[in-house]
């Protein structure tokens, strides 16, 4: 692959490589390497500062042929800022002029990519096995899903609700716990952060495919909060519960789940706190499916519902049972 520079100066760059044959009886498998950057923090802090997505790249690999078949790249105009910090520009390599003259917002970007998939016969509606691959869960769970719910975009298509976590797949394939981030897997000389990131992913996946790895069990993102009951005798894992404070008084359990969109909450895992008068007091206890999801929830401390910022703190299993039980 060559440098990413030919893909600019337009704010949307599309490189269709080959159309897909759809007359086969077996679903062909395509992996879509998905990467975003925001106007704020990157790497393992991505999404924790509630900054908007400014660039999105999708690179599609034909698993059987072990080659790229499509590349789709877009700059996305942020709504709430008028410039980037010097640190952000240096770290991301984003062209600020192109970014703020872009006429594409996040909903436009989602729609354009869906249209692109259909034009290349890569869309799941064409009977293909199409799944996202991310370096880790932050790109979908901490960036795209929360931003889409805050901005009220069109419903995310089905392919945004499951993904392969490349770190997990890599660790499983090579039975290692030493892989902390993509830089430790390999490094490519590429100044553009987002393009470098997706190219690193591409080469790692080729290596894994050549070594016999099969991408078979994607991780799924919770679509709706499930109702349920719990008992005071239930054994609640201590490291899965948070307390959210500062909620609007009319906030429902579904609204709380929307604030934590992208993270998986246990069935019946939102308990709204009541005052001594039996009214909601702006607090809730939330129980997540794993400690990892609770840690991601804590990163949303002082993120917003409307104009209100919500405080998120650690809580205990007993705290949850005292309210939900």
């Amino acid at each position: 692959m060559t440098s990413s520079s030919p893909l600019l100066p337009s704010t949307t760059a599309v490189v269709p490589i080959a159309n897909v044959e759809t007359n086969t009886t077996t679903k062909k498998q395509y992996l879509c390497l998905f990467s975003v950057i925001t106007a704020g923090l990157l790497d393992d802090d991505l999404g924790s500062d509630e900054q908007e997505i400014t660039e999105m790249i999708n690179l599609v690999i034909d698993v059987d042929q072990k080659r790229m078949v499509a590349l789709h790249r877009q700059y996305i105009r942020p709504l709430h800022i008028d410039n980037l910090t010097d640190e952000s520009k240096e770290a991301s390599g984003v062209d600020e002029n192109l970014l703020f003259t872009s006429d594409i917002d996040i909903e436009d970007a989602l729609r354009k990519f869906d249209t692109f998939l259909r034009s290349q016969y890569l869309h799941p509606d064409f009977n293909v096995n199409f799944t996202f691959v991310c370096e880790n869960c932050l790109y979908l769970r901490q960036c795209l899903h929360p931003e889409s719910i805050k901005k009220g975009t069109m419903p995310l298509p089905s392919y945004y609700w499951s993904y392969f976590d490349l770190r997990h797949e890599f660790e499983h394939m090579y039975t290692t716990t030493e892989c902390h981030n993509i830089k430790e897997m390999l490094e490519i000389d590429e100044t553009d952060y987002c393009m470098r990131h997706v190219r690193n992913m591409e080469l790692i996946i080729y290596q894994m495919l050549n070594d016999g790895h099969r991408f078979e069990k994607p991780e799924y993102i919770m679509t709706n909060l499930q109702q349920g009951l719990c008992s005071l005798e239930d054994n609640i894992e201590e490291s899965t519960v948070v307390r959210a404070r500062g909620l609007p008084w009319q906030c429902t359990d579904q609204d709380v789940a929307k604030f934590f969109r992208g993270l998986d909450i246990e069935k019946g895992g939102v308990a709204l706190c009541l005052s001594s008068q039996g009214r909601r007091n702006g607090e809730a206890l939330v129980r997540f499916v794993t400690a990892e999801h609770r840690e991601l929830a804590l990163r949303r401390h002082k993120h917003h519902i409307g104009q209100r910022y919500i405080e998120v703190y650690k809580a205990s299993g007993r705290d949850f049972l005292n309210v939900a039980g």
Side-chain angles (χ1 to χ4, degrees), residues 176-188:
T176 178
T177 58
E178 299 300 318
C179 174
H180 301 292
N181 57 56
I182 204 167
K183 293 180 180 178
E184 296 179 10
M185 294 186 243
L186 57 83
E187 184 69 35
I188 293 178

Side-chain angles (χ1 to χ4, degrees), residues 36-306:
V36 304
I37 57 173
T38 73
L41 299 172
L42 301 175
D43 300 320
D44 288 346
D45 293 319
L46 186 69
S48 63
D49 55 0
E50 207 178 8
Q51 289 292 331
E52 297 171 271
I53 294 172
T54 55
E55 185 176 5
M56 185 182 300
I57 294 182
N58 301 82
L59 187 153
V60 184
I61 288 175
D62 182 324
V63 171
D64 292 334
Q65 299 295 322
K66 300 182 181 65
R67 67 184 182 94
M68 180 179 75
V69 296
L71 176 65
H72 194 267
R73 180 182 189 184
Q74 301 178 93
Y75 273 172
I76 301 169
R77 184 187 68 252
L79 299 181
H80 303 301
I81 60 172
D82 297 320
N83 55 71
L84 299 176
T85 65
D86 291 339
E87 294 83 358
S88 176
K89 286 186 287 187
E90 182 178 357
S92 67
V94 166
D95 186 316
E96 189 174 32
N97 291 329
L98 288 176
L99 176 63
F100 288 101
T101 56
S102 171
D103 60 354
I104 299 172
D105 62 20
I106 187 67
E107 184 162 2
D108 295 331
L110 294 170
R111 187 177 293 108
K112 284 176 178 291
F113 180 63
D114 194 76
T115 300
F116 172 73
L117 288 180
R118 294 182 184 280
S119 72
Q120 297 300 305
Y121 299 96
L122 291 165
H123 198 281
D125 287 352
F126 291 105
N127 196 38
V128 298
N129 183 348
F130 180 90
T131 314
F132 274 25
V133 180
C134 305
E135 179 195 351
N136 55 47
C137 68
L138 302 180
Y139 301 87
L140 288 170
R141 292 188 183 274
Q142 289 287 72
C143 292
L144 183 61
H145 278 269
E147 185 165 332
S148 70
I149 201 71
K150 287 172 187 172
K151 292 185 174 178
T153 67
M154 64 182 230
L156 291 176
S158 60
Y159 46 84
Y160 288 103
W161 294 88
S162 63
Y163 66 99
F164 291 107
D165 186 314
L166 185 57
R167 294 189 192 183
H168 293 169
E169 296 291 322
F170 190 92
E171 291 167 4
H172 176 72
M173 174 64 181
Y174 299 109
T175 59
T176 178
T177 58
E178 299 300 318
C179 174
H180 301 292
N181 57 56
I182 204 167
K183 293 180 180 178
E184 296 179 10
M185 294 186 243
L186 57 83
E187 184 69 35
I188 293 178
D189 182 19
E190 169 67 65
T191 57
D192 185 310
Y193 179 94
C194 206
M195 184 58 70
R196 179 178 70 246
H197 182 264
V198 80
R199 290 183 64 202
N200 282 344
M201 292 174 63
E202 181 187 12
L203 294 185
I204 291 164
I205 287 176
Y206 291 153
Q207 173 188 321
M208 294 174 68
L209 292 174
N210 286 330
D211 289 344
H213 185 69
R214 298 175 66 87
F215 288 84
E216 296 178 321
K217 296 181 179 179
E219 301 181 29
Y220 291 88
I221 298 172
M222 185 188 81
T223 55
N224 294 294
L225 176 67
Q226 296 184 354
Q227 301 299 324
L229 300 175
C230 72
S231 163
L232 286 172
E233 286 71 41
D234 287 351
N235 183 22
I236 305 294
E237 176 63 44
E238 290 292 322
S239 60
T240 61
V241 181
V242 303
R243 181 184 296 272
R245 290 177 177 168
L247 300 167
W249 66 267
Q250 71 272 31
C251 204
T252 67
D253 55 353
Q254 297 292 338
D255 294 325
V256 174
K258 286 181 180 178
F259 175 76
F260 290 109
R261 171 65 66 85
L263 307 182
D264 296 349
I265 299 172
E266 282 282 7
K267 183 177 181 180
V270 176
L272 298 172
C273 301
L274 304 179
S275 68
S276 57
Q277 290 76 35
R279 301 188 182 94
R280 297 172 188 170
N281 66 1
E283 294 189 13
L285 278 298
V286 186
R287 178 188 174 198
F288 294 92
V289 296
T290 66
E292 178 186 14
H293 285 231
R294 186 239 218 163
E295 290 304 311
L296 294 174
L298 292 170
R299 297 188 190 185
R300 300 196 187 181
H301 179 60
K302 294 194 174 179
H303 286 202
H304 290 76
I305 295 179

